[in-house]
Amino acid sequence: MFKSLLLLFLPAAILAAPSLELQERQLSGPKGIDVSHFQGTIDWTSVAANGISFVFIKATEGTTFLDPDFSSNYVGATNAGLTRGGYHFAHPDSSSGATQADYFLAHGGGWTADGITLPGMLDIEYNPSGDECYGLSTSAMVSWIQDFSDTYESQTGRYPIIYTTTDWWTTCTGNSPAFADDNPLFIAHYATTIGTIPAGWPFATFWQYADSGPEPGDQDVFNGDATGLEQIARGS
């Protein structure tokens, strides 16, 4: 993804403003995928052999859904030597951010400083079955995300990664820059360049650049090198 970029995970506040080069990075960092039960049985040994370094695995959705393949995917990815973490698909219209963070943490979304566990990811995006912004105002949405983020941090010592699209973020949070200092950005943009990212963040830490490809699930890339990926997992 990101052309000879050796940025390690640092708070956005201490980084310079993005350059044109950073907005036109190439797909050169460690490759990853994100998966759920929709992918069925995954041959994790083959995934690792094909050069995949990391994976985000769906754990929970709202407070009523546990991905039935989370455990098998998590164990399989671990045994294959991948850096891995869980993700939560948000339903801000059904319960508070704190309630959903607690649910996520209770069902696979935790983090430990072992060098192979990524901070949990909050998947906050288009409503699959209703109003795009779940009926929330932009200020209410920002408050909901903050509630989730603060709850996750209070229990793990790490802020969750935020996965979104620039279009959704602009529409539903008013393009809020409130999370750029603490939460790594995982941007979804299916193209050969990353495009415009939401306000505040000078760069995206992860980029989902395709919704299908040679490996199971969505195709992702990390903004950095293998050492940087390990440091995010380790929290150092």
Side-chain angles (χ1 to χ4, degrees):
M1 154 167 82
F2 306 120
K3 188 162 43 173
S4 69
L5 182 73
L6 298 178
L7 286 172
L8 303 180
F9 175 61
L10 296 171
I14 65 174
L15 294 169
S19 67
L20 179 60
E21 181 182 1
L22 291 181
Q23 290 299 307
E24 296 180 349
R25 303 163 208 172
Q26 302 302 307
L27 300 171
S28 61
K31 301 300 191 298
I33 55 176
D34 54 274
V35 301
S36 71
H37 65 285
F38 288 113
Q39 276 67 56
T41 301
I42 295 172
D43 183 343
W44 288 104
T45 301
S46 293
V47 168
N50 290 340
I52 296 300
S53 300
F54 67 90
V55 58
F56 287 94
I57 302 166
K58 186 173 184 178
T60 51
E61 182 170 339
T63 55
T64 60
F65 180 80
L66 301 175
D67 192 290
D69 289 345
F70 174 75
S71 293
S72 61
N73 281 333
Y74 201 86
V75 170
T78 302
N79 290 342
L82 274 66
T83 301
R84 70 289 186 269
Y87 78 85
H88 174 79
F89 191 96
H91 280 276
D93 55 344
S94 67
S95 56
S96 70
T99 297
Q100 292 193 33
D102 285 339
Y103 186 72
F104 180 43
L105 285 160
H107 297 97
W111 173 79
T112 55
D114 56 11
I116 60 171
T117 303
L118 293 163
M121 181 178 82
L122 172 63
D123 182 346
I124 184 84
E125 55 168 299
Y126 305 99
N127 186 347
S129 59
D131 179 76
E132 178 179 1
C133 301
Y134 300 86
L136 273 64
S137 67
T138 56
S139 61
M141 184 65 75
V142 169
S143 295
W144 191 97
I145 297 168
Q146 194 70 65
D147 195 27
F148 184 102
S149 181
D150 288 348
T151 301
Y152 190 91
E153 189 276 335
S154 71
Q155 296 190 43
T156 65
R158 299 293 301 278
Y159 286 98
I161 296 163
I162 291 178
Y163 167 97
T164 193
T165 71
T166 300
D167 174 72
W168 186 91
W169 192 262
T170 300
T171 301
C172 297
T173 75
N175 205 20
S176 172
F179 303 93
D181 288 350
D182 295 320
N183 301 81
L185 175 64
F186 192 150
I187 199 72
H189 182 66
Y190 304 149
T192 56
T193 58
I194 197 168
T196 302
I197 61 175
W201 282 286
F203 64 92
T205 302
F206 296 92
W207 176 17
Q208 184 185 93
Y209 61 88
D211 60 359
S212 63
E215 302 305 322
D218 300 311
Q219 313 295 291
D220 308 323
V221 67
F222 170 67
N223 179 358
D225 58 14
T227 299
L229 183 64
E230 182 182 353
Q231 288 189 316
I232 288 185
R234 196 173 297 283
S236 60

